[in-house]
């Protein structure tokens, strides 16, 4: 462990947060799940992600990855292991105006994406909450406001940059590593750490939504327990 930690401290350019550190309490938890990892790593580069994966492997520690930290199942933390927090890898960049191709860091949230794309009149079919992470939502499907017209978030992924379990950085698309590309589009996060996505965005103007609510007492006719429509 000591030699692996020494190598990490030498090669890792981001933040290494340990128990007792100033940011440990917030860094060690997901939305509703508190963990007690031995180390929380906040990489500032893809090289840092590779170094973090290598450290976890060499030290024999379990590894969790956190994007937006919104996962209710608690997959973004653990006990006595390593958490790689991608929040510093959150750049959003339009890389092809004609094709509306957007590169998004694996630690970005959908709120950050919406704010960055709004000046271009673009949006991506995504979740319904700004704090949700791009990576977590996309890797497991991605239901959002535009799903009926543009599909799930994963349907709009054109390519991804992935750090595999052996620390190798690979590019996944229909043409390159197609099986990995298939796996990350809905297979969850166990195929590697996605450090960046390439999405096809869609021209979007103002979006309007609304809801209809009524008291529960109106759900049934008096003396009749069967539900009925209250549409007027």
């Amino acid at each position: 462990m000591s030699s692996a930690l020494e190598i990490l401290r030498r090669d890792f350019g981001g933040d290494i947060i340990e128990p007792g550190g100033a940011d440990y309490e917030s860094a060690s938890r997901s939305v509703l799940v508190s963990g007690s990892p031995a180390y929380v790593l906040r990489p500032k580069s893809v090289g840092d992600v590779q170094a973090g994966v290598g450290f976890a492997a060499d030290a024999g520690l379990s590894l969790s990855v956190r994007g937006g930290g919104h996962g209710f199942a608690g997959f973004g933390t653990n006990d006595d292991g390593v958490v790689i927090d991608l929040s510093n890898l959150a750049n959003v960049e339009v890389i092809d105006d004609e094709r509306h191709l957007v590169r998004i860091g694996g630690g970005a949230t959908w709120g950050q994406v919406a704010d960055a794309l709004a000046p271009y009149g673009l949006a991506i079919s995504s979740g319904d909450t700004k704090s949700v992470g791009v990576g977590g939502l996309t890797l497991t499907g991605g239901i959002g406001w535009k799903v009926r017209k543009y599909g799930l978030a994963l349907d709009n992924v054109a390519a991804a940059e992935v750090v595999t379990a052996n620390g190798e950085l690979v590019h996944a698309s229909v043409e390159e590593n197609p099986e990995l590309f298939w796996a990350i589009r809905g297979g969850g996060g166990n195929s590697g750490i996605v450090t960046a996505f390439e999405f096809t965005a869609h021209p979007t103007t103002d979006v309007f939504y609304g809801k209809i609510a009524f008291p529960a007492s109106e759900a049934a006719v008096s003396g009749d327990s069967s539900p009925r429509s209250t549409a007027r």
Side-chain angles (χ1 to χ4, degrees):
M1 167 72 82
S2 59
S3 60
L5 185 57
E6 289 172 2
I7 294 172
L8 178 71
R9 295 192 190 283
R10 183 194 68 197
D11 297 340
F12 193 79
D15 300 320
I16 301 174
I17 303 171
E18 301 178 56
D23 296 330
Y24 181 80
E25 184 175 352
S26 59
S28 62
R29 62 177 294 123
S30 288
V31 173
L32 296 177
V33 180
S34 297
S36 54
Y39 304 94
V40 178
L41 309 181
R42 285 182 175 158
K44 294 182 178 179
S45 68
V46 174
D48 286 345
V49 175
Q50 293 174 285
V53 170
F55 167 68
D58 292 342
L61 298 174
S62 59
L63 175 63
S64 300
V65 183
R66 181 163 65 241
H70 203 274
F72 290 99
F75 295 144
T77 190
N78 60 49
D79 295 325
D80 302 319
V82 176
V83 172
I84 293 183
D85 180 347
L86 298 175
S87 57
N88 288 329
L89 303 180
N91 289 341
V92 182
E93 178 186 8
V94 177
I95 58 177
D96 189 322
D97 289 328
E98 291 187 3
R99 293 193 295 156
H100 303 144
L101 199 62
V102 181
R103 180 181 172 88
I104 302 174
T109 63
W110 287 111
Q112 291 172 307
V113 173
D115 290 343
L117 295 186
Y120 297 91
L122 297 174
I124 297 170
S125 183
S126 57
D128 59 7
T129 305
K130 294 196 301 182
S131 60
V132 170
V134 171
L137 184 84
T138 302
L139 294 174
T140 53
I143 297 174
W145 297 114
K146 302 172 69 177
V147 66
R148 288 175 178 81
K149 186 171 184 177
Y150 294 115
L152 300 170
L154 62 81
D155 293 319
N156 297 282
V157 175
E161 180 183 83
V162 185
V163 174
T164 61
N166 64 358
E168 181 182 2
L169 177 64
V170 300
H171 190 264
S173 67
V174 172
E175 297 82 16
E176 191 174 359
N177 296 303
E179 292 185 352
L180 177 59
F181 184 61
W182 176 86
I184 64 173
R185 294 170 69 245
N190 290 327
S191 299
I193 301 176
V194 179
T195 53
F197 294 90
E198 291 180 12
F199 281 93
T200 301
H202 306 282
T204 300
T205 55
D206 293 334
V207 177
F208 300 92
Y209 73 96
K211 65 180 180 179
I212 300 174
F214 54 87
S217 59
E218 292 188 14
V221 180
S222 178
D224 181 2
S225 61
S226 61
R228 66 184 180 91
S229 171
T230 58
R232 295 179 174 86

Short mmCIF file of all heavy atoms in Angstrom, two decimals, residues 74-124:
data_model
loop_
_atom_site.label_atom_id
_atom_site.label_comp_id
_atom_site.label_asym_id
_atom_site.label_seq_id
_atom_site.Cartn_x
_atom_site.Cartn_y
_atom_site.Cartn_z
N GLY A 74 -26.13 4.67 -4.32
CA GLY A 74 -24.87 4.80 -3.59
C GLY A 74 -23.66 4.26 -4.31
O GLY A 74 -22.61 4.03 -3.69
N PHE A 75 -23.76 4.05 -5.64
CA PHE A 75 -22.62 3.52 -6.38
C PHE A 75 -21.44 4.50 -6.43
O PHE A 75 -20.33 4.11 -6.77
CB PHE A 75 -23.04 3.17 -7.81
CG PHE A 75 -24.04 2.05 -7.89
CD1 PHE A 75 -25.04 2.06 -8.85
CD2 PHE A 75 -24.01 0.99 -7.00
CE1 PHE A 75 -25.97 1.04 -8.93
CE2 PHE A 75 -24.92 -0.04 -7.05
CZ PHE A 75 -25.92 -0.01 -8.03
N GLY A 76 -21.68 5.76 -6.09
CA GLY A 76 -20.63 6.77 -6.15
C GLY A 76 -19.79 6.86 -4.90
O GLY A 76 -18.98 7.79 -4.76
N THR A 77 -19.94 5.91 -3.98
CA THR A 77 -19.10 5.89 -2.79
C THR A 77 -18.94 4.45 -2.32
O THR A 77 -19.50 3.52 -2.90
CB THR A 77 -19.70 6.77 -1.67
OG1 THR A 77 -18.74 6.91 -0.61
CG2 THR A 77 -20.98 6.18 -1.13
N ASN A 78 -18.14 4.24 -1.29
CA ASN A 78 -17.93 2.90 -0.74
C ASN A 78 -17.32 3.03 0.64
O ASN A 78 -17.13 4.14 1.15
CB ASN A 78 -17.03 2.06 -1.67
CG ASN A 78 -15.66 2.68 -1.87
OD1 ASN A 78 -14.97 3.07 -0.93
ND2 ASN A 78 -15.22 2.78 -3.14
N ASP A 79 -17.00 1.91 1.25
CA ASP A 79 -16.31 1.89 2.54
C ASP A 79 -14.92 1.30 2.35
O ASP A 79 -14.77 0.22 1.76
CB ASP A 79 -17.09 1.05 3.56
CG ASP A 79 -18.44 1.66 3.91
OD1 ASP A 79 -18.51 2.91 3.95
OD2 ASP A 79 -19.39 0.91 4.15
N ASP A 80 -13.92 2.05 2.79
CA ASP A 80 -12.52 1.59 2.81
C ASP A 80 -11.91 1.42 1.43
O ASP A 80 -10.86 0.77 1.29
CB ASP A 80 -12.40 0.27 3.59
CG ASP A 80 -12.92 0.38 5.01
OD1 ASP A 80 -12.64 1.41 5.65
OD2 ASP A 80 -13.61 -0.54 5.47
N GLY A 81 -12.52 1.99 0.42
CA GLY A 81 -11.98 1.86 -0.93
C GLY A 81 -11.55 3.21 -1.49
O GLY A 81 -11.20 4.13 -0.75
N VAL A 82 -11.57 3.31 -2.81
CA VAL A 82 -11.18 4.53 -3.53
C VAL A 82 -12.39 5.05 -4.29
O VAL A 82 -13.11 4.28 -4.93
CB VAL A 82 -10.03 4.25 -4.52
CG1 VAL A 82 -9.69 5.51 -5.33
CG2 VAL A 82 -8.79 3.75 -3.79
N VAL A 83 -12.64 6.35 -4.19
CA VAL A 83 -13.66 7.00 -5.00
C VAL A 83 -12.97 7.97 -5.95
O VAL A 83 -12.17 8.80 -5.51
CB VAL A 83 -14.67 7.77 -4.12
CG1 VAL A 83 -15.61 8.61 -5.00
CG2 VAL A 83 -15.48 6.82 -3.26
N ILE A 84 -13.24 7.84 -7.23
CA ILE A 84 -12.76 8.81 -8.21
C ILE A 84 -13.91 9.75 -8.54
O ILE A 84 -14.91 9.34 -9.11
CB ILE A 84 -12.23 8.12 -9.48
CG1 ILE A 84 -10.97 7.30 -9.15
CG2 ILE A 84 -11.92 9.15 -10.57
CD1 ILE A 84 -10.32 6.64 -10.35
N ASP A 85 -13.76 10.99 -8.13
CA ASP A 85 -14.77 12.03 -8.30
C ASP A 85 -14.40 12.85 -9.54
O ASP A 85 -13.39 13.54 -9.56
CB ASP A 85 -14.80 12.91 -7.05
CG ASP A 85 -15.81 14.03 -7.13
OD1 ASP A 85 -16.34 14.31 -8.22
OD2 ASP A 85 -16.08 14.65 -6.08
N LEU A 86 -15.23 12.77 -10.58
CA LEU A 86 -14.91 13.39 -11.87
C LEU A 86 -15.36 14.84 -11.99
O LEU A 86 -15.33 15.41 -13.08
CB LEU A 86 -15.56 12.58 -13.00
CG LEU A 86 -15.11 11.12 -13.16
CD1 LEU A 86 -15.94 10.45 -14.25
CD2 LEU A 86 -13.63 11.04 -13.49
N SER A 87 -15.76 15.46 -10.89
CA SER A 87 -16.39 16.78 -10.96
C SER A 87 -15.52 17.85 -11.60
O SER A 87 -16.04 18.85 -12.12
CB SER A 87 -16.84 17.23 -9.57
OG SER A 87 -15.76 17.26 -8.66
N ASN A 88 -14.21 17.69 -11.58
CA ASN A 88 -13.32 18.67 -12.22
C ASN A 88 -13.22 18.48 -13.73
O ASN A 88 -12.68 19.34 -14.43
CB ASN A 88 -11.92 18.61 -11.62
CG ASN A 88 -11.86 19.16 -10.21
OD1 ASN A 88 -12.61 20.07 -9.87
ND2 ASN A 88 -10.98 18.62 -9.38
N LEU A 89 -13.71 17.36 -14.23
CA LEU A 89 -13.70 17.09 -15.67
C LEU A 89 -15.10 17.36 -16.20
O LEU A 89 -15.88 16.46 -16.46
CB LEU A 89 -13.28 15.65 -15.95
CG LEU A 89 -11.92 15.22 -15.40
CD1 LEU A 89 -11.63 13.77 -15.76
CD2 LEU A 89 -10.81 16.13 -15.92
N ALA A 90 -15.44 18.62 -16.33
CA ALA A 90 -16.83 19.00 -16.61
C ALA A 90 -16.95 20.01 -17.76
O ALA A 90 -17.97 20.69 -17.88
CB ALA A 90 -17.47 19.57 -15.35
N ASN A 91 -15.96 20.08 -18.62
CA ASN A 91 -16.03 21.02 -19.73
C ASN A 91 -17.12 20.62 -20.73
O ASN A 91 -17.34 19.44 -20.98
CB ASN A 91 -14.68 21.09 -20.46
CG ASN A 91 -13.62 21.79 -19.65
OD1 ASN A 91 -13.93 22.53 -18.71
ND2 ASN A 91 -12.37 21.58 -19.99
N VAL A 92 -17.79 21.62 -21.29
CA VAL A 92 -18.80 21.40 -22.34
C VAL A 92 -18.39 22.26 -23.53
O VAL A 92 -18.25 23.47 -23.41
CB VAL A 92 -20.21 21.80 -21.85
CG1 VAL A 92 -21.24 21.52 -22.94
CG2 VAL A 92 -20.57 21.07 -20.56
N GLU A 93 -18.21 21.62 -24.69
CA GLU A 93 -17.69 22.32 -25.86
C GLU A 93 -18.39 21.85 -27.13
O GLU A 93 -18.51 20.64 -27.37
CB GLU A 93 -16.18 22.06 -25.97
CG GLU A 93 -15.51 22.69 -27.17
CD GLU A 93 -14.06 22.28 -27.31
OE1 GLU A 93 -13.61 21.38 -26.56
OE2 GLU A 93 -13.39 22.84 -28.19
N VAL A 94 -18.85 22.78 -27.93
CA VAL A 94 -19.40 22.45 -29.25
C VAL A 94 -18.21 22.27 -30.20
O VAL A 94 -17.46 23.21 -30.45
CB VAL A 94 -20.33 23.56 -29.77
CG1 VAL A 94 -20.83 23.22 -31.18
CG2 VAL A 94 -21.52 23.75 -28.83
N ILE A 95 -18.03 21.06 -30.71
CA ILE A 95 -16.84 20.77 -31.51
C ILE A 95 -17.15 20.67 -33.00
O ILE A 95 -16.23 20.60 -33.82
CB ILE A 95 -16.15 19.46 -31.04
CG1 ILE A 95 -17.12 18.27 -31.10
CG2 ILE A 95 -15.61 19.63 -29.63
CD1 ILE A 95 -16.45 16.95 -30.71
N ASP A 96 -18.44 20.66 -33.38
CA ASP A 96 -18.82 20.63 -34.78
C ASP A 96 -20.17 21.33 -34.91
O ASP A 96 -21.21 20.76 -34.57
CB ASP A 96 -18.91 19.19 -35.30
CG ASP A 96 -19.09 19.10 -36.81
OD1 ASP A 96 -19.81 19.95 -37.36
OD2 ASP A 96 -18.52 18.18 -37.43
N ASP A 97 -20.14 22.58 -35.41
CA ASP A 97 -21.37 23.37 -35.50
C ASP A 97 -22.38 22.75 -36.45
O ASP A 97 -23.58 22.74 -36.17
CB ASP A 97 -21.04 24.80 -35.97
CG ASP A 97 -20.32 25.60 -34.90
OD1 ASP A 97 -20.59 25.36 -33.71
OD2 ASP A 97 -19.50 26.47 -35.25
N GLU A 98 -21.92 22.25 -37.59
CA GLU A 98 -22.84 21.73 -38.60
C GLU A 98 -23.57 20.47 -38.11
O GLU A 98 -24.76 20.30 -38.35
CB GLU A 98 -22.09 21.43 -39.89
CG GLU A 98 -21.60 22.68 -40.62
CD GLU A 98 -21.03 22.35 -41.98
OE1 GLU A 98 -21.06 21.16 -42.38
OE2 GLU A 98 -20.54 23.27 -42.65
N ARG A 99 -22.83 19.59 -37.45
CA ARG A 99 -23.43 18.35 -36.97
C ARG A 99 -23.97 18.47 -35.55
O ARG A 99 -24.50 17.50 -34.99
CB ARG A 99 -22.40 17.21 -37.03
CG ARG A 99 -21.98 16.82 -38.43
CD ARG A 99 -21.22 15.50 -38.41
NE ARG A 99 -19.97 15.59 -37.70
CZ ARG A 99 -19.35 14.55 -37.13
NH1 ARG A 99 -19.89 13.34 -37.18
NH2 ARG A 99 -18.20 14.72 -36.51
N HIS A 100 -23.82 19.64 -34.94
CA HIS A 100 -24.26 19.89 -33.56
C HIS A 100 -23.60 18.89 -32.60
O HIS A 100 -24.23 18.39 -31.67
CB HIS A 100 -25.78 19.79 -33.44
CG HIS A 100 -26.51 20.73 -34.34
ND1 HIS A 100 -27.71 20.41 -34.95
CD2 HIS A 100 -26.22 21.98 -34.76
CE1 HIS A 100 -28.12 21.41 -35.69
NE2 HIS A 100 -27.24 22.39 -35.60
N LEU A 101 -22.34 18.62 -32.85
CA LEU A 101 -21.61 17.66 -32.03
C LEU A 101 -21.00 18.36 -30.83
O LEU A 101 -20.34 19.39 -30.96
CB LEU A 101 -20.51 16.98 -32.86
CG LEU A 101 -19.95 15.66 -32.35
CD1 LEU A 101 -21.04 14.59 -32.29
CD2 LEU A 101 -18.80 15.20 -33.24
N VAL A 102 -21.25 17.79 -29.65
CA VAL A 102 -20.84 18.42 -28.40
C VAL A 102 -19.98 17.44 -27.60
O VAL A 102 -20.34 16.27 -27.45
CB VAL A 102 -22.08 18.82 -27.56
CG1 VAL A 102 -21.66 19.50 -26.27
CG2 VAL A 102 -23.01 19.70 -28.37
N ARG A 103 -18.86 17.93 -27.09
CA ARG A 103 -18.00 17.12 -26.22
C ARG A 103 -18.26 17.54 -24.78
O ARG A 103 -18.19 18.73 -24.44
CB ARG A 103 -16.53 17.32 -26.57
CG ARG A 103 -15.56 16.51 -25.70
CD ARG A 103 -14.11 16.78 -26.11
NE ARG A 103 -13.15 16.20 -25.20
CZ ARG A 103 -12.69 14.96 -25.29
NH1 ARG A 103 -13.10 14.18 -26.29
NH2 ARG A 103 -11.81 14.49 -24.42
N ILE A 104 -18.55 16.55 -23.92
CA ILE A 104 -18.92 16.83 -22.53
C ILE A 104 -18.06 15.98 -21.60
O ILE A 104 -17.99 14.76 -21.75
CB ILE A 104 -20.41 16.51 -22.29
CG1 ILE A 104 -21.29 17.33 -23.23
CG2 ILE A 104 -20.78 16.79 -20.84
CD1 ILE A 104 -22.75 16.98 -23.15
N GLY A 105 -17.44 16.61 -20.63
CA GLY A 105 -16.64 15.89 -19.64
C GLY A 105 -17.48 14.97 -18.80
O GLY A 105 -18.65 15.24 -18.50
N GLY A 106 -16.89 13.85 -18.38
CA GLY A 106 -17.62 12.84 -17.64
C GLY A 106 -18.12 13.28 -16.28
O GLY A 106 -18.97 12.63 -15.68
N GLY A 107 -17.62 14.40 -15.76
CA GLY A 107 -18.06 14.89 -14.46
C GLY A 107 -19.08 16.00 -14.52
O GLY A 107 -19.47 16.54 -13.48
N ALA A 108 -19.54 16.36 -15.72
CA ALA A 108 -20.50 17.45 -15.86
C ALA A 108 -21.88 17.04 -15.38
O ALA A 108 -22.23 15.85 -15.36
CB ALA A 108 -20.57 17.89 -17.33
N THR A 109 -22.67 18.02 -15.01
CA THR A 109 -24.08 17.79 -14.69
C THR A 109 -24.91 18.32 -15.86
O THR A 109 -24.46 19.15 -16.66
CB THR A 109 -24.50 18.50 -13.40
OG1 THR A 109 -24.35 19.92 -13.58
CG2 THR A 109 -23.64 18.04 -12.22
N TRP A 110 -26.17 17.87 -15.92
CA TRP A 110 -27.02 18.32 -17.02
C TRP A 110 -27.34 19.80 -16.92
O TRP A 110 -27.61 20.46 -17.93
CB TRP A 110 -28.29 17.48 -17.06
CG TRP A 110 -28.02 16.12 -17.59
CD1 TRP A 110 -28.07 14.94 -16.89
CD2 TRP A 110 -27.64 15.76 -18.92
NE1 TRP A 110 -27.73 13.88 -17.72
CE2 TRP A 110 -27.47 14.35 -18.96
CE3 TRP A 110 -27.41 16.49 -20.08
CZ2 TRP A 110 -27.08 13.67 -20.11
CZ3 TRP A 110 -27.02 15.82 -21.24
CH2 TRP A 110 -26.87 14.43 -21.25
N GLY A 111 -27.32 20.36 -15.73
CA GLY A 111 -27.51 21.80 -15.59
C GLY A 111 -26.37 22.56 -16.25
O GLY A 111 -26.59 23.58 -16.92
N GLN A 112 -25.15 22.09 -16.05
CA GLN A 112 -24.00 22.73 -16.70
C GLN A 112 -24.09 22.62 -18.21
O GLN A 112 -23.75 23.56 -18.94
CB GLN A 112 -22.70 22.07 -16.21
CG GLN A 112 -22.38 22.35 -14.75
CD GLN A 112 -21.20 21.53 -14.24
OE1 GLN A 112 -21.19 20.30 -14.37
NE2 GLN A 112 -20.21 22.19 -13.66
N VAL A 113 -24.57 21.48 -18.68
CA VAL A 113 -24.71 21.28 -20.13
C VAL A 113 -25.76 22.23 -20.70
O VAL A 113 -25.54 22.89 -21.72
CB VAL A 113 -25.10 19.82 -20.44
CG1 VAL A 113 -25.41 19.65 -21.93
CG2 VAL A 113 -23.97 18.88 -20.03
N ALA A 114 -26.91 22.32 -20.03
CA ALA A 114 -27.97 23.20 -20.51
C ALA A 114 -27.51 24.65 -20.57
O ALA A 114 -27.78 25.37 -21.55
CB ALA A 114 -29.20 23.07 -19.61
N ASP A 115 -26.79 25.10 -19.55
CA ASP A 115 -26.31 26.48 -19.51
C ASP A 115 -25.30 26.74 -20.63
O ASP A 115 -25.30 27.82 -21.25
CB ASP A 115 -25.66 26.78 -18.16
CG ASP A 115 -26.67 26.84 -17.02
OD1 ASP A 115 -27.87 26.98 -17.30
OD2 ASP A 115 -26.25 26.74 -15.84
N ALA A 116 -24.44 25.76 -20.90
CA ALA A 116 -23.41 25.94 -21.93
C ALA A 116 -23.98 25.92 -23.34
O ALA A 116 -23.48 26.62 -24.23
CB ALA A 116 -22.34 24.86 -21.77
N LEU A 117 -25.03 25.14 -23.56
CA LEU A 117 -25.57 24.98 -24.90
C LEU A 117 -26.66 26.01 -25.24
O LEU A 117 -26.96 26.23 -26.42
CB LEU A 117 -26.15 23.58 -25.09
CG LEU A 117 -25.15 22.42 -25.02
CD1 LEU A 117 -25.84 21.10 -25.36
CD2 LEU A 117 -23.97 22.64 -25.97
N ALA A 118 -27.25 26.62 -24.24
CA ALA A 118 -28.33 27.58 -24.47
C ALA A 118 -27.96 28.69 -25.45
O ALA A 118 -28.75 29.04 -26.33
CB ALA A 118 -28.83 28.16 -23.15
N PRO A 119 -26.75 29.29 -25.34
CA PRO A 119 -26.41 30.35 -26.29
C PRO A 119 -26.35 29.87 -27.75
O PRO A 119 -26.45 30.69 -28.67
CB PRO A 119 -25.02 30.80 -25.81
CG PRO A 119 -24.96 30.42 -24.38
CD PRO A 119 -25.72 29.14 -24.31
N TYR A 120 -26.19 28.57 -27.96
CA TYR A 120 -26.14 28.01 -29.31
C TYR A 120 -27.52 27.56 -29.80
O TYR A 120 -27.65 27.10 -30.94
CB TYR A 120 -25.19 26.80 -29.34
CG TYR A 120 -23.76 27.12 -29.02
CD1 TYR A 120 -23.29 27.04 -27.71
CD2 TYR A 120 -22.86 27.49 -30.01
CE1 TYR A 120 -21.98 27.33 -27.40
CE2 TYR A 120 -21.54 27.78 -29.71
CZ TYR A 120 -21.11 27.70 -28.40
OH TYR A 120 -19.79 27.98 -28.10
N GLY A 121 -28.53 27.66 -28.95
CA GLY A 121 -29.85 27.17 -29.31
C GLY A 121 -29.92 25.67 -29.42
O GLY A 121 -30.69 25.11 -30.19
N LEU A 122 -29.11 24.98 -28.61
CA LEU A 122 -29.02 23.52 -28.66
C LEU A 122 -29.37 22.92 -27.30
O LEU A 122 -29.26 23.57 -26.26
CB LEU A 122 -27.61 23.08 -29.04
CG LEU A 122 -27.08 23.48 -30.41
CD1 LEU A 122 -25.61 23.08 -30.56
CD2 LEU A 122 -27.91 22.83 -31.52
N ALA A 123 -29.77 21.66 -27.32
CA ALA A 123 -30.02 20.90 -26.09
C ALA A 123 -29.88 19.42 -26.42
O ALA A 123 -29.84 19.03 -27.58
CB ALA A 123 -31.40 21.20 -25.52
N ILE A 124 -29.79 18.61 -25.38
CA ILE A 124 -29.65 17.16 -25.51
C ILE A 124 -30.75 16.50 -24.70
O ILE A 124 -31.07 16.94 -23.60
CB ILE A 124 -28.27 16.69 -25.02
CG1 ILE A 124 -27.16 17.31 -25.87
CG2 ILE A 124 -28.16 15.17 -25.04
CD1 ILE A 124 -25.76 17.11 -25.30
#
